[in-house]
Amino acid sequence: MEAARKPRNATREENLAVILHHAEKIFAEFGFKGATMQAIADAAGLPKANLHYYFPTKLALYREVIERIFTIWLEAADSFDTSATPEEALSRYIRKKMEISRAHPCGSKVWANEVIQGAPIIQDYLQTTLNEWTDTRIKVINRWIAEEKIDTVDPRHLLYMIWATTQHYADFQHQIVTLNSGNPLSDSQWENATDSVTGVILRGIGLKP
Amino acid sequence: MEAARKPRNATREENLAVILHHAEKIFAEFGFKGATMQAIADAAGLPKANLHYYFPTKLALYREVIERIFTIWLEAADSFDTSATPEEALSRYIRKKMEISRAHPCGSKVWANEVIQGAPIIQDYLQTTLNEWTDTRIKVINRWIAEEKIDTVDPRHLLYMIWATTQHYADFQHQIVTLNSGNPLSDSQWENATDSVTGVILRGIGLKP
DNA sequence: CCTCATCCTGACCATTTGGTCAAAGGAATT
DNA sequence: AATTCCTTTGACCAAATGGTCAGGATGAGG
């Protein structure tokens, strides 16, 4: 969000990246109030006072972390409407969201934590950007239904199902790993998960995956 | 978990219930570290020191809250295997889980928070009770597949989908309410949500809901 | 009215927390 | 070398937090 003033010195960029990376982990693990600046500083290998040089308050750091996650989510959203058919649109969107769950589990967890706690920070995002995005997708899905390309289904709940299932693999990662004998999902297991989710949802609305 | 020593005095029972009820809310809203004994005490309308009379530590109170949630979840699990057909078993299980999401959203949120944070408290539950429960259901689903009652599907991911979607309505309640113009889901909207989820999942594995 | 066990609570404490600040590097430009 | 701007950090503080404790309230049985 902040433009780097001196691109010549890469240290600023580096430090920002390191701080944000570890802040994401700590916030994911303890939530906003549970995370401490000291813990983030230790994880990042910096003195606490240095964090406050880059981010004046804990809230500012948290906000930055959240904003980055939101950006990633919006990009995944793009792959929804660059497709011709419902099959392609939905399966690409689901696959993309599964990939994000695997690549950025902590980001997803921070978002989940935030929403569970009533979204005190991102409330405006929900009301504006997410709300608008949802409305446009609902219209697309309703068009598919009108054109009899998919079965009748409440578009809103279809979207919720996709969000819930894909994010589950990030947010409940620990539970899934535990039920997988303590091992993280392998490549093929992730592939299987993606295929399973895609298969049930597509068939669930009358498509053939 | 603790037996009441003097059932004659109902005050103990009452206070325990009040404390646990409000503790669930506060823990759901702030996570374990974020919740404060003072906040729980205020919500329950009791002095903080009184909480420590009933629950020696914050952890003991949290553990009790978690255990109660787990009990409710296990009861929902029962409705899974008292049914004859896959249609009935799955639709009853999904419906039950949706009802729990509506009746006990805070409980679900506490569980979600706990799992997101790596389940430091309930790890043993995941490894024993939940793991065993999952294994038995997987066998049942695999039998359905062998008997060609449902399409081929990875039972594990089918279960994850059910958990994810149903719990989403509790854990992401705030997001759903926001996307519903700020209004909680009405009776008919909950019915619609349940039907939508059940419909997609059942059709997704070759059943007619 | 007395006894005794349970229940309640205001005051208190040690620790942790987010955040501040002044003084000290450091590197490029003049 | 002097200057200037950015960066770093140890020491510090006020507030909040989990937990303690001694003493007071309460009520049932005698």
Side-chain angles (χ1 to χ4, degrees):
Chain A
M1 219 90 261
E2 291 252 327
R5 300 195 182 161
K6 286 227 170 186
R8 190 169 5 159
N9 268 8
T11 52
R12 184 180 193 94
E13 307 284 334
E14 266 176 49
N15 281 340
L16 283 174
V18 169
I19 292 171
L20 285 167
H21 174 76
H22 289 96
E24 188 181 83
K25 275 183 72 172
I26 301 292
F27 279 129
E29 196 169 336
F30 302 104
F32 176 69
K33 285 197 79 174
T36 70
M37 293 298 270
Q38 189 64 61
I40 296 170
D42 290 349
L46 295 169
K48 191 184 70 168
N50 208 354
L51 289 202
H52 281 99
Y53 172 71
Y54 288 104
F55 300 93
T57 65
K58 184 181 173 185
L59 191 67
L61 175 54
Y62 182 73
R63 217 187 288 267
E64 182 73 31
V65 169
I66 287 259
E67 275 179 20
R68 295 184 147 228
I69 295 151
F70 195 62
T71 302
I72 292 172
W73 284 56
L74 285 184
E75 281 166 14
D78 288 345
S79 83
F80 185 95
D81 42 16
T82 57
S83 307
T85 66
E87 288 94 333
E88 192 187 326
L90 289 174
S91 57
R92 280 180 60 184
Y93 180 51
I94 291 170
R95 174 167 296 273
K96 185 79 187 172
K97 286 224 67 197
M98 288 294 282
E99 285 167 3
I100 293 175
S101 282
R102 190 179 190 186
H104 303 279
C106 289
S108 184
K109 287 175 186 175
V110 175
W111 180 276
N113 244 321
E114 168 72 5
V115 173
I116 287 175
Q117 299 182 9
I121 309 295
I122 57 164
Q123 181 61 24
D124 52 332
Y125 290 146
L126 299 185
Q127 284 173 342
T128 59
T129 316
L130 185 62
N131 196 25
E132 286 158 21
W133 184 90
T134 307
D135 279 348
T136 63
R137 313 304 135 158
I138 285 176
K139 276 176 192 147
V140 172
I141 297 173
N142 272 328
R143 184 156 42 78
W144 290 340
I145 295 171
E147 293 168 352
E148 292 185 344
K149 288 180 176 169
I150 65 172
D151 290 348
T152 300
V153 66
D154 189 314
R156 200 168 283 277
H157 296 295
L158 175 61
L159 287 174
Y160 293 168
M161 282 192 72
I162 295 173
W163 296 346
T165 48
T166 55
Q167 289 165 222
H168 184 80
Y169 286 87
D171 303 340
F172 285 70
Q173 180 186 32
H174 181 83
Q175 181 173 303
I176 287 173
V177 168
T178 299
L179 292 181
N180 192 42
S181 310
N183 307 118
L185 298 194
S186 65
D187 288 353
S188 66
Q189 284 178 317
W190 270 99
E191 196 60 36
N192 184 25
T194 304
D195 289 346
S196 299
V197 169
T198 308
V200 171
I201 290 182
L202 290 209
R203 277 193 298 270
I205 55 174
L207 294 172
K208 293 159 216 142
Chain B
M1 223 86 261
E2 291 251 324
R5 302 202 179 153
K6 286 228 166 181
R8 195 180 349 166
N9 268 9
T11 52
R12 183 178 195 92
E13 306 285 335
E14 267 176 50
N15 280 341
L16 283 174
V18 169
I19 292 171
L20 286 167
H21 174 75
H22 289 96
E24 189 181 81
K25 276 183 73 172
I26 300 293
F27 280 129
E29 197 169 337
F30 301 103
F32 176 69
K33 285 196 79 175
T36 70
M37 293 299 269
Q38 190 64 60
I40 296 171
D42 290 349
L46 295 170
K48 191 185 71 168
N50 206 355
L51 289 202
H52 281 99
Y53 173 71
Y54 287 104
F55 299 94
T57 66
K58 185 182 172 184
L59 190 68
L61 174 54
Y62 182 73
R63 216 187 287 266
E64 181 75 32
V65 168
I66 287 260
E67 277 179 19
R68 294 184 150 228
I69 295 152
F70 195 62
T71 303
I72 292 172
W73 284 56
L74 285 184
E75 283 166 12
D78 288 344
S79 82
F80 185 94
D81 43 14
T82 56
S83 307
T85 66
E87 289 92 335
E88 191 185 327
L90 289 175
S91 57
R92 280 180 60 185
Y93 180 51
I94 292 170
R95 174 166 296 274
K96 186 79 186 174
K97 286 224 68 198
M98 288 294 281
E99 285 167 3
I100 294 175
S101 282
R102 190 179 191 187
H104 304 279
C106 289
S108 184
K109 287 175 186 174
V110 175
W111 180 275
N113 244 320
E114 168 72 7
V115 173
I116 286 174
Q117 299 183 8
I121 309 295
I122 58 164
Q123 181 61 23
D124 52 330
Y125 290 147
L126 299 185
Q127 284 173 343
T128 58
T129 318
L130 184 61
N131 197 23
E132 287 158 21
W133 184 89
T134 307
D135 279 347
T136 62
R137 313 303 135 158
I138 285 175
K139 277 179 190 143
V140 173
I141 296 172
N142 272 329
R143 183 155 43 76
W144 291 339
I145 295 171
E147 293 168 353
E148 294 185 346
K149 288 178 176 172
I150 66 172
D151 289 347
T152 299
V153 66
D154 190 315
R156 201 168 282 276
H157 295 295
L158 176 60
L159 286 175
Y160 293 168
M161 283 192 73
I162 295 173
W163 296 346
T165 48
T166 55
Q167 289 164 223
H168 184 80
Y169 287 88
D171 302 341
F172 286 70
Q173 180 187 32
H174 181 83
Q175 181 172 304
I176 288 172
V177 168
T178 299
L179 293 180
N180 191 43
S181 309
N183 307 119
L185 297 194
S186 65
D187 287 352
S188 66
Q189 283 178 317
W190 270 100
E191 194 61 36
N192 183 25
T194 304
D195 289 346
S196 298
V197 169
T198 307
V200 172
I201 289 182
L202 290 209
R203 278 192 299 270
I205 55 174
L207 294 172
K208 295 160 215 139

